[in-house]
Amino acid sequence: MGGSEPKKSGGEPKKSGGGVKKKEVKKETGLGLTNKKDENFGEWYSEVVVNGEMIEYYDISGCYILRPWAMAVWEIMQKFFDAEIKKMKIKNCYFPLFVSPAVLQKEKDHIEGFAPEVAWVTKSGQSELEVPIAIRPTSETVMYPYYSKWIRGHRDLPLKLNQWCNVVRWEFSNPTPFIRSREFLWQEGHTAFATKEEADTEVLEILELYRRIYEEFLAIPVIKGKKSELEKFAGGFYTTSVEAFIPNTGRGIQGATSHCLGQNFAKMFEINFENEKGEKSMVWQNSWAYSSRTIGVMIMVHGDDKGLVLPPRVASLQVVVVPVPYKDADTQGIFDACSATVDTLCKAGIRAEADLRDNYSPGWKYSHWEMKGVPLRIEIGPKDFANNQVRAVRRDNSAKTDIPHAELVEKVNQMLEDIQQSLFVAAKEKRDACVQVARTWEEFVEALGQKKMILAPWCDEEEVEKDVKARTKGEMGAAKSLCSPFDQPELPEGRTKCFASGKPANKWSYWGRSY
Ligand code: 86X
């Protein structure tokens, strides 16, 4: 199992771990985590993705099996995003997985830096292919030749396409399930407009959908902003992103990107049209994507020492109902009450199931569903049964509430809402506690050492960012700019100095180590 490359953390499964005590607990129940989130984050993560049944490790390093429990989260987000982009008149399509070398090379300027990550098919059976074929790392070069063909006049615009697909980037630095894998799932949107204004508007509309995926579905606070010249997509005009933060590692993580490509690709691929005045013009393009990385961020932000914690809106199972029979109780009555409870909840549109297996104890089932992160557990024992009530236990804070059967749907809906909200608030408080304003280099270095995300006034010069990277290089990786937030604190004109160069600052920017 696992790869052959050396690993830093969180990447591949480890054979052993934990002390004797923890192992004993594990033996008793067959459940539980041997690593604690705050003590050994990387190991905790590798363990939780497997024990929570999100991932199975595969025999190719950097490739992971997405189990139904993870795929369901992906599909819930997909359903939302797909419906929203359809409202924007964006249409789905599917382009081939394979790219000819000639087409891949067309965009050689920005491919150059990426070339080592491109995977190639060189053989069929035992015979060498005459021309090796690349596997798409992204689809600009695959799609844009056909944009050139399909766009002739202004009536062909805008052209707004999206595809849900997999891409392959043969990464060499420590692979981590969901966060950095060699194959991943994403949607990639590629749109073409007659005017810059239309393109600019769409960039922000899509970015808002990405914010909503993180904040409203995954309950993760993000910062919307613009990437620096060094960190933007080199082939594009400007890059916007939503940035999340992982408090345990003190690293920022790019959540999704929405690029305005300007007319760079239109030039390369000759995507021209005749405008209303009969003149030849070049289209303005955007591209945007979010990937299965979203799921990894969710696990890292919300998971705890008992396992996954799924926000209700993305949980394929929102409520698990567990019977708690006693020797001399009416076992059949309790089991029937569980089934009836599930029926009532499902009819109200709540995703609920009963765990009626008779070969596991209630305690084992509690641990199992806690490990899998189900937001709410309902227990029905003899006393609950007699009183025509159920006991609800929240996954996020273990709070217990007795609910009379008559109020079941109303109360459960309320609790799920509440869990969703609490997870967001808790994540935001934790994130905010990690944000540090730094006005000088000394403050910056100190905050970086404390695993903070740093908000600093900056002169916005590329050379200065390169210098920051060079000066912070080390075992943990260099610091870089994460984004310049759209929501800018006040910056007194001419009186604020850049934290790194001492030159006049012209914007606030977030900085930190990142994934
Ligand atoms: C950059 C840019 C862009 C469409 C997006 O971020 C949104 C969706 N694409 C992707 N990028 C590359 O262009 C790239 C190219 C090659 Cl050849 C590669 F091996 C890796 C890459 N990684 C990122």
Side-chain angles (χ1 to χ4, degrees), residues 194-223:
T195 64
K196 177 176 181 296
E197 289 65 37
E198 291 168 276
D200 285 337
T201 302
E202 190 204 60
V203 165
L204 296 183
E205 279 175 9
I206 294 293
L207 195 68
E208 172 62 7
L209 294 180
Y210 292 152
R211 182 198 67 77
R212 290 180 63 193
I213 287 181
Y214 274 94
E215 297 199 337
E216 296 177 7
F217 283 77
L218 300 171
I220 295 165
V222 288
I223 296 158

PDB file of all heavy atoms in Angstrom, residues 194-223:
ATOM      1  N   ALA A 194     -18.112  39.253 -25.863  1.00  0.00           N
ATOM      2  CA  ALA A 194     -17.726  40.323 -26.794  1.00  0.00           C
ATOM      3  C   ALA A 194     -17.002  41.445 -26.060  1.00  0.00           C
ATOM      4  O   ALA A 194     -16.156  42.129 -26.643  1.00  0.00           O
ATOM      5  CB  ALA A 194     -18.972  40.876 -27.496  1.00  0.00           C
ATOM      6  N   THR A 195     -17.336  41.637 -24.789  1.00  0.00           N
ATOM      7  CA  THR A 195     -16.763  42.785 -24.075  1.00  0.00           C
ATOM      8  C   THR A 195     -16.105  42.391 -22.755  1.00  0.00           C
ATOM      9  O   THR A 195     -16.479  41.401 -22.122  1.00  0.00           O
ATOM     10  CB  THR A 195     -17.857  43.826 -23.739  1.00  0.00           C
ATOM     11  OG1 THR A 195     -18.793  43.221 -22.828  1.00  0.00           O
ATOM     12  CG2 THR A 195     -18.578  44.299 -24.989  1.00  0.00           C
ATOM     13  N   LYS A 196     -15.160  43.221 -22.339  1.00  0.00           N
ATOM     14  CA  LYS A 196     -14.475  43.038 -21.073  1.00  0.00           C
ATOM     15  C   LYS A 196     -15.460  43.154 -19.914  1.00  0.00           C
ATOM     16  O   LYS A 196     -15.354  42.423 -18.927  1.00  0.00           O
ATOM     17  CB  LYS A 196     -13.372  44.087 -20.934  1.00  0.00           C
ATOM     18  CG  LYS A 196     -12.622  44.064 -19.613  1.00  0.00           C
ATOM     19  CD  LYS A 196     -11.477  45.062 -19.603  1.00  0.00           C
ATOM     20  CE  LYS A 196     -10.705  45.019 -18.296  1.00  0.00           C
ATOM     21  NZ  LYS A 196     -11.511  45.423 -17.127  1.00  0.00           N
ATOM     22  N   GLU A 197     -16.410  44.071 -20.043  1.00  0.00           N
ATOM     23  CA  GLU A 197     -17.362  44.316 -18.958  1.00  0.00           C
ATOM     24  C   GLU A 197     -18.153  43.059 -18.624  1.00  0.00           C
ATOM     25  O   GLU A 197     -18.351  42.727 -17.454  1.00  0.00           O
ATOM     26  CB  GLU A 197     -18.324  45.463 -19.314  1.00  0.00           C
ATOM     27  CG  GLU A 197     -17.681  46.846 -19.315  1.00  0.00           C
ATOM     28  CD  GLU A 197     -16.608  47.030 -20.389  1.00  0.00           C
ATOM     29  OE1 GLU A 197     -16.782  46.496 -21.522  1.00  0.00           O
ATOM     30  OE2 GLU A 197     -15.570  47.680 -20.100  1.00  0.00           O
ATOM     31  N   GLU A 198     -18.627  42.366 -19.667  1.00  0.00           N
ATOM     32  CA  GLU A 198     -19.381  41.126 -19.425  1.00  0.00           C
ATOM     33  C   GLU A 198     -18.513  40.078 -18.737  1.00  0.00           C
ATOM     34  O   GLU A 198     -18.959  39.377 -17.830  1.00  0.00           O
ATOM     35  CB  GLU A 198     -19.884  40.539 -20.752  1.00  0.00           C
ATOM     36  CG  GLU A 198     -20.971  41.323 -21.447  1.00  0.00           C
ATOM     37  CD  GLU A 198     -21.166  40.821 -22.869  1.00  0.00           C
ATOM     38  OE1 GLU A 198     -20.406  41.278 -23.762  1.00  0.00           O
ATOM     39  OE2 GLU A 198     -22.042  39.962 -23.083  1.00  0.00           O
ATOM     40  N   ALA A 199     -17.255  39.994 -19.178  1.00  0.00           N
ATOM     41  CA  ALA A 199     -16.330  39.028 -18.575  1.00  0.00           C
ATOM     42  C   ALA A 199     -16.089  39.371 -17.104  1.00  0.00           C
ATOM     43  O   ALA A 199     -16.181  38.510 -16.225  1.00  0.00           O
ATOM     44  CB  ALA A 199     -15.025  38.995 -19.357  1.00  0.00           C
ATOM     45  N   ASP A 200     -15.820  40.644 -16.832  1.00  0.00           N
ATOM     46  CA  ASP A 200     -15.585  41.097 -15.448  1.00  0.00           C
ATOM     47  C   ASP A 200     -16.757  40.746 -14.541  1.00  0.00           C
ATOM     48  O   ASP A 200     -16.564  40.287 -13.406  1.00  0.00           O
ATOM     49  CB  ASP A 200     -15.393  42.626 -15.412  1.00  0.00           C
ATOM     50  CG  ASP A 200     -14.034  43.060 -15.940  1.00  0.00           C
ATOM     51  OD1 ASP A 200     -13.098  42.235 -15.922  1.00  0.00           O
ATOM     52  OD2 ASP A 200     -13.907  44.227 -16.366  1.00  0.00           O
ATOM     53  N   THR A 201     -17.969  40.977 -15.032  1.00  0.00           N
ATOM     54  CA  THR A 201     -19.167  40.704 -14.231  1.00  0.00           C
ATOM     55  C   THR A 201     -19.264  39.222 -13.900  1.00  0.00           C
ATOM     56  O   THR A 201     -19.534  38.845 -12.756  1.00  0.00           O
ATOM     57  CB  THR A 201     -20.428  41.157 -15.001  1.00  0.00           C
ATOM     58  OG1 THR A 201     -20.294  42.540 -15.289  1.00  0.00           O
ATOM     59  CG2 THR A 201     -21.693  40.917 -14.197  1.00  0.00           C
ATOM     60  N   GLU A 202     -19.008  38.377 -14.899  1.00  0.00           N
ATOM     61  CA  GLU A 202     -19.128  36.941 -14.662  1.00  0.00           C
ATOM     62  C   GLU A 202     -18.080  36.428 -13.669  1.00  0.00           C
ATOM     63  O   GLU A 202     -18.387  35.570 -12.821  1.00  0.00           O
ATOM     64  CB  GLU A 202     -19.009  36.159 -15.974  1.00  0.00           C
ATOM     65  CG  GLU A 202     -19.371  34.699 -15.786  1.00  0.00           C
ATOM     66  CD  GLU A 202     -18.763  33.783 -16.819  1.00  0.00           C
ATOM     67  OE1 GLU A 202     -17.511  33.726 -16.925  1.00  0.00           O
ATOM     68  OE2 GLU A 202     -19.538  33.119 -17.526  1.00  0.00           O
ATOM     69  N   VAL A 203     -16.879  36.945 -13.753  1.00  0.00           N
ATOM     70  CA  VAL A 203     -15.816  36.521 -12.817  1.00  0.00           C
ATOM     71  C   VAL A 203     -16.328  36.607 -11.381  1.00  0.00           C
ATOM     72  O   VAL A 203     -16.163  35.679 -10.583  1.00  0.00           O
ATOM     73  CB  VAL A 203     -14.547  37.389 -12.987  1.00  0.00           C
ATOM     74  CG1 VAL A 203     -13.589  37.216 -11.810  1.00  0.00           C
ATOM     75  CG2 VAL A 203     -13.836  37.046 -14.287  1.00  0.00           C
ATOM     76  N   LEU A 204     -16.990  37.723 -11.064  1.00  0.00           N
ATOM     77  CA  LEU A 204     -17.453  37.941  -9.691  1.00  0.00           C
ATOM     78  C   LEU A 204     -18.703  37.140  -9.362  1.00  0.00           C
ATOM     79  O   LEU A 204     -18.890  36.716  -8.216  1.00  0.00           O
ATOM     80  CB  LEU A 204     -17.683  39.438  -9.446  1.00  0.00           C
ATOM     81  CG  LEU A 204     -16.417  40.297  -9.535  1.00  0.00           C
ATOM     82  CD1 LEU A 204     -16.736  41.744  -9.208  1.00  0.00           C
ATOM     83  CD2 LEU A 204     -15.318  39.766  -8.601  1.00  0.00           C
ATOM     84  N   GLU A 205     -19.559  36.913 -10.367  1.00  0.00           N
ATOM     85  CA  GLU A 205     -20.754  36.077 -10.129  1.00  0.00           C
ATOM     86  C   GLU A 205     -20.339  34.653  -9.765  1.00  0.00           C
ATOM     87  O   GLU A 205     -20.893  34.042  -8.850  1.00  0.00           O
ATOM     88  CB  GLU A 205     -21.643  36.037 -11.375  1.00  0.00           C
ATOM     89  CG  GLU A 205     -22.525  37.259 -11.519  1.00  0.00           C
ATOM     90  CD  GLU A 205     -23.313  37.277 -12.832  1.00  0.00           C
ATOM     91  OE1 GLU A 205     -23.325  36.260 -13.573  1.00  0.00           O
ATOM     92  OE2 GLU A 205     -23.908  38.320 -13.112  1.00  0.00           O
ATOM     93  N   ILE A 206     -19.355  34.142 -10.490  1.00  0.00           N
ATOM     94  CA  ILE A 206     -18.876  32.781 -10.218  1.00  0.00           C
ATOM     95  C   ILE A 206     -18.165  32.729  -8.856  1.00  0.00           C
ATOM     96  O   ILE A 206     -18.375  31.814  -8.066  1.00  0.00           O
ATOM     97  CB  ILE A 206     -17.933  32.296 -11.348  1.00  0.00           C
ATOM     98  CG1 ILE A 206     -18.708  32.151 -12.669  1.00  0.00           C
ATOM     99  CG2 ILE A 206     -17.231  31.001 -10.959  1.00  0.00           C
ATOM    100  CD1 ILE A 206     -19.756  31.055 -12.707  1.00  0.00           C
ATOM    101  N   LEU A 207     -17.383  33.754  -8.566  1.00  0.00           N
ATOM    102  CA  LEU A 207     -16.673  33.782  -7.280  1.00  0.00           C
ATOM    103  C   LEU A 207     -17.669  33.764  -6.118  1.00  0.00           C
ATOM    104  O   LEU A 207     -17.435  33.114  -5.096  1.00  0.00           O
ATOM    105  CB  LEU A 207     -15.767  35.015  -7.198  1.00  0.00           C
ATOM    106  CG  LEU A 207     -14.714  34.959  -6.082  1.00  0.00           C
ATOM    107  CD1 LEU A 207     -13.669  33.880  -6.360  1.00  0.00           C
ATOM    108  CD2 LEU A 207     -14.038  36.316  -5.898  1.00  0.00           C
ATOM    109  N   GLU A 208     -18.791  34.450  -6.298  1.00  0.00           N
ATOM    110  CA  GLU A 208     -19.839  34.454  -5.263  1.00  0.00           C
ATOM    111  C   GLU A 208     -20.426  33.049  -5.085  1.00  0.00           C
ATOM    112  O   GLU A 208     -20.701  32.623  -3.955  1.00  0.00           O
ATOM    113  CB  GLU A 208     -20.921  35.480  -5.627  1.00  0.00           C
ATOM    114  CG  GLU A 208     -22.173  35.465  -4.757  1.00  0.00           C
ATOM    115  CD  GLU A 208     -21.949  35.787  -3.278  1.00  0.00           C
ATOM    116  OE1 GLU A 208     -20.831  36.168  -2.901  1.00  0.00           O
ATOM    117  OE2 GLU A 208     -22.902  35.618  -2.491  1.00  0.00           O
ATOM    118  N   LEU A 209     -20.584  32.306  -6.177  1.00  0.00           N
ATOM    119  CA  LEU A 209     -21.060  30.915  -6.044  1.00  0.00           C
ATOM    120  C   LEU A 209     -20.043  30.077  -5.267  1.00  0.00           C
ATOM    121  O   LEU A 209     -20.419  29.236  -4.438  1.00  0.00           O
ATOM    122  CB  LEU A 209     -21.316  30.283  -7.415  1.00  0.00           C
ATOM    123  CG  LEU A 209     -22.459  30.877  -8.244  1.00  0.00           C
ATOM    124  CD1 LEU A 209     -22.581  30.131  -9.576  1.00  0.00           C
ATOM    125  CD2 LEU A 209     -23.790  30.820  -7.482  1.00  0.00           C
ATOM    126  N   TYR A 210     -18.768  30.313  -5.505  1.00  0.00           N
ATOM    127  CA  TYR A 210     -17.729  29.584  -4.757  1.00  0.00           C
ATOM    128  C   TYR A 210     -17.777  29.948  -3.271  1.00  0.00           C
ATOM    129  O   TYR A 210     -17.657  29.095  -2.402  1.00  0.00           O
ATOM    130  CB  TYR A 210     -16.338  29.860  -5.346  1.00  0.00           C
ATOM    131  CG  TYR A 210     -16.124  29.286  -6.727  1.00  0.00           C
ATOM    132  CD1 TYR A 210     -15.243  29.860  -7.637  1.00  0.00           C
ATOM    133  CD2 TYR A 210     -16.803  28.135  -7.140  1.00  0.00           C
ATOM    134  CE1 TYR A 210     -15.036  29.332  -8.906  1.00  0.00           C
ATOM    135  CE2 TYR A 210     -16.602  27.605  -8.408  1.00  0.00           C
ATOM    136  CZ  TYR A 210     -15.724  28.195  -9.287  1.00  0.00           C
ATOM    137  OH  TYR A 210     -15.519  27.670 -10.528  1.00  0.00           O
ATOM    138  N   ARG A 211     -17.983  31.229  -2.996  1.00  0.00           N
ATOM    139  CA  ARG A 211     -18.126  31.632  -1.584  1.00  0.00           C
ATOM    140  C   ARG A 211     -19.306  30.893  -0.950  1.00  0.00           C
ATOM    141  O   ARG A 211     -19.209  30.391   0.169  1.00  0.00           O
ATOM    142  CB  ARG A 211     -18.358  33.139  -1.460  1.00  0.00           C
ATOM    143  CG  ARG A 211     -18.453  33.608   0.004  1.00  0.00           C
ATOM    144  CD  ARG A 211     -19.092  34.972   0.185  1.00  0.00           C
ATOM    145  NE  ARG A 211     -20.502  35.010  -0.155  1.00  0.00           N
ATOM    146  CZ  ARG A 211     -21.495  34.552   0.605  1.00  0.00           C
ATOM    147  NH1 ARG A 211     -21.245  34.030   1.779  1.00  0.00           N
ATOM    148  NH2 ARG A 211     -22.754  34.614   0.198  1.00  0.00           N
ATOM    149  N   ARG A 212     -20.387  30.807  -1.688  1.00  0.00           N
ATOM    150  CA  ARG A 212     -21.576  30.147  -1.129  1.00  0.00           C
ATOM    151  C   ARG A 212     -21.333  28.659  -0.889  1.00  0.00           C
ATOM    152  O   ARG A 212     -21.807  28.099   0.102  1.00  0.00           O
ATOM    153  CB  ARG A 212     -22.790  30.357  -2.038  1.00  0.00           C
ATOM    154  CG  ARG A 212     -23.271  31.809  -2.021  1.00  0.00           C
ATOM    155  CD  ARG A 212     -24.478  32.007  -2.912  1.00  0.00           C
ATOM    156  NE  ARG A 212     -25.639  31.223  -2.441  1.00  0.00           N
ATOM    157  CZ  ARG A 212     -26.736  31.023  -3.161  1.00  0.00           C
ATOM    158  NH1 ARG A 212     -26.832  31.532  -4.386  1.00  0.00           N
ATOM    159  NH2 ARG A 212     -27.733  30.322  -2.674  1.00  0.00           N
ATOM    160  N   ILE A 213     -20.622  27.986  -1.796  1.00  0.00           N
ATOM    161  CA  ILE A 213     -20.297  26.571  -1.579  1.00  0.00           C
ATOM    162  C   ILE A 213     -19.547  26.423  -0.258  1.00  0.00           C
ATOM    163  O   ILE A 213     -19.893  25.588   0.579  1.00  0.00           O
ATOM    164  CB  ILE A 213     -19.465  26.000  -2.751  1.00  0.00           C
ATOM    165  CG1 ILE A 213     -20.357  25.815  -3.967  1.00  0.00           C
ATOM    166  CG2 ILE A 213     -18.799  24.678  -2.349  1.00  0.00           C
ATOM    167  CD1 ILE A 213     -19.659  25.235  -5.171  1.00  0.00           C
ATOM    168  N   TYR A 214     -18.530  27.251  -0.058  1.00  0.00           N
ATOM    169  CA  TYR A 214     -17.740  27.143   1.179  1.00  0.00           C
ATOM    170  C   TYR A 214     -18.537  27.560   2.399  1.00  0.00           C
ATOM    171  O   TYR A 214     -18.585  26.849   3.400  1.00  0.00           O
ATOM    172  CB  TYR A 214     -16.438  27.964   1.070  1.00  0.00           C
ATOM    173  CG  TYR A 214     -15.327  27.164   0.425  1.00  0.00           C
ATOM    174  CD1 TYR A 214     -15.080  27.238  -0.935  1.00  0.00           C
ATOM    175  CD2 TYR A 214     -14.548  26.291   1.180  1.00  0.00           C
ATOM    176  CE1 TYR A 214     -14.082  26.491  -1.537  1.00  0.00           C
ATOM    177  CE2 TYR A 214     -13.549  25.533   0.602  1.00  0.00           C
ATOM    178  CZ  TYR A 214     -13.319  25.633  -0.757  1.00  0.00           C
ATOM    179  OH  TYR A 214     -12.337  24.868  -1.337  1.00  0.00           O
ATOM    180  N   GLU A 215     -19.164  28.718   2.332  1.00  0.00           N
ATOM    181  CA  GLU A 215     -19.759  29.256   3.562  1.00  0.00           C
ATOM    182  C   GLU A 215     -21.122  28.652   3.850  1.00  0.00           C
ATOM    183  O   GLU A 215     -21.430  28.329   4.993  1.00  0.00           O
ATOM    184  CB  GLU A 215     -19.813  30.792   3.480  1.00  0.00           C
ATOM    185  CG  GLU A 215     -18.402  31.381   3.393  1.00  0.00           C
ATOM    186  CD  GLU A 215     -18.321  32.845   3.749  1.00  0.00           C
ATOM    187  OE1 GLU A 215     -19.346  33.551   3.646  1.00  0.00           O
ATOM    188  OE2 GLU A 215     -17.218  33.291   4.137  1.00  0.00           O
ATOM    189  N   GLU A 216     -21.969  28.483   2.837  1.00  0.00           N
ATOM    190  CA  GLU A 216     -23.342  28.018   3.076  1.00  0.00           C
ATOM    191  C   GLU A 216     -23.460  26.496   3.075  1.00  0.00           C
ATOM    192  O   GLU A 216     -24.342  25.954   3.724  1.00  0.00           O
ATOM    193  CB  GLU A 216     -24.298  28.620   2.029  1.00  0.00           C
ATOM    194  CG  GLU A 216     -24.381  30.135   2.132  1.00  0.00           C
ATOM    195  CD  GLU A 216     -25.265  30.758   1.049  1.00  0.00           C
ATOM    196  OE1 GLU A 216     -25.920  30.006   0.290  1.00  0.00           O
ATOM    197  OE2 GLU A 216     -25.277  32.002   0.964  1.00  0.00           O
ATOM    198  N   PHE A 217     -22.601  25.811   2.344  1.00  0.00           N
ATOM    199  CA  PHE A 217     -22.670  24.349   2.312  1.00  0.00           C
ATOM    200  C   PHE A 217     -21.639  23.725   3.256  1.00  0.00           C
ATOM    201  O   PHE A 217     -21.989  22.918   4.112  1.00  0.00           O
ATOM    202  CB  PHE A 217     -22.505  23.836   0.876  1.00  0.00           C
ATOM    203  CG  PHE A 217     -23.758  24.013   0.062  1.00  0.00           C
ATOM    204  CD1 PHE A 217     -24.107  25.259  -0.449  1.00  0.00           C
ATOM    205  CD2 PHE A 217     -24.620  22.947  -0.171  1.00  0.00           C
ATOM    206  CE1 PHE A 217     -25.282  25.442  -1.172  1.00  0.00           C
ATOM    207  CE2 PHE A 217     -25.793  23.114  -0.884  1.00  0.00           C
ATOM    208  CZ  PHE A 217     -26.129  24.364  -1.392  1.00  0.00           C
ATOM    209  N   LEU A 218     -20.366  24.102   3.083  1.00  0.00           N
ATOM    210  CA  LEU A 218     -19.308  23.461   3.867  1.00  0.00           C
ATOM    211  C   LEU A 218     -19.074  24.139   5.215  1.00  0.00           C
ATOM    212  O   LEU A 218     -18.284  23.655   6.026  1.00  0.00           O
ATOM    213  CB  LEU A 218     -18.012  23.433   3.050  1.00  0.00           C
ATOM    214  CG  LEU A 218     -18.122  22.670   1.719  1.00  0.00           C
ATOM    215  CD1 LEU A 218     -16.869  22.879   0.882  1.00  0.00           C
ATOM    216  CD2 LEU A 218     -18.343  21.171   1.962  1.00  0.00           C
ATOM    217  N   ALA A 219     -19.768  25.260   5.468  1.00  0.00           N
ATOM    218  CA  ALA A 219     -19.654  25.994   6.743  1.00  0.00           C
ATOM    219  C   ALA A 219     -18.210  26.423   7.035  1.00  0.00           C
ATOM    220  O   ALA A 219     -17.725  26.324   8.156  1.00  0.00           O
ATOM    221  CB  ALA A 219     -20.232  25.166   7.898  1.00  0.00           C
ATOM    222  N   ILE A 220     -17.527  26.872   5.983  1.00  0.00           N
ATOM    223  CA  ILE A 220     -16.136  27.317   6.093  1.00  0.00           C
ATOM    224  C   ILE A 220     -16.033  28.771   5.649  1.00  0.00           C
ATOM    225  O   ILE A 220     -16.413  29.102   4.527  1.00  0.00           O
ATOM    226  CB  ILE A 220     -15.218  26.439   5.204  1.00  0.00           C
ATOM    227  CG1 ILE A 220     -15.201  25.001   5.716  1.00  0.00           C
ATOM    228  CG2 ILE A 220     -13.811  27.022   5.133  1.00  0.00           C
ATOM    229  CD1 ILE A 220     -14.644  24.021   4.716  1.00  0.00           C
ATOM    230  N   PRO A 221     -15.516  29.662   6.509  1.00  0.00           N
ATOM    231  CA  PRO A 221     -15.369  31.055   6.099  1.00  0.00           C
ATOM    232  C   PRO A 221     -14.255  31.195   5.069  1.00  0.00           C
ATOM    233  O   PRO A 221     -13.211  30.545   5.193  1.00  0.00           O
ATOM    234  CB  PRO A 221     -14.994  31.766   7.403  1.00  0.00           C
ATOM    235  CG  PRO A 221     -14.342  30.715   8.230  1.00  0.00           C
ATOM    236  CD  PRO A 221     -15.013  29.421   7.870  1.00  0.00           C
ATOM    237  N   VAL A 222     -14.476  32.013   4.068  1.00  0.00           N
ATOM    238  CA  VAL A 222     -13.441  32.261   3.053  1.00  0.00           C
ATOM    239  C   VAL A 222     -13.277  33.758   2.831  1.00  0.00           C
ATOM    240  O   VAL A 222     -14.167  34.544   3.152  1.00  0.00           O
ATOM    241  CB  VAL A 222     -13.757  31.580   1.695  1.00  0.00           C
ATOM    242  CG1 VAL A 222     -13.592  30.079   1.794  1.00  0.00           C
ATOM    243  CG2 VAL A 222     -15.143  31.955   1.173  1.00  0.00           C
ATOM    244  N   ILE A 223     -12.126  34.100   2.276  1.00  0.00           N
ATOM    245  CA  ILE A 223     -11.840  35.489   1.920  1.00  0.00           C
ATOM    246  C   ILE A 223     -11.831  35.584   0.402  1.00  0.00           C
ATOM    247  O   ILE A 223     -11.141  34.824  -0.277  1.00  0.00           O
ATOM    248  CB  ILE A 223     -10.477  35.927   2.493  1.00  0.00           C
ATOM    249  CG1 ILE A 223     -10.529  35.895   4.024  1.00  0.00           C
ATOM    250  CG2 ILE A 223     -10.108  37.311   1.979  1.00  0.00           C
ATOM    251  CD1 ILE A 223      -9.163  35.788   4.660  1.00  0.00           C
TER     252      ILE A 223
END
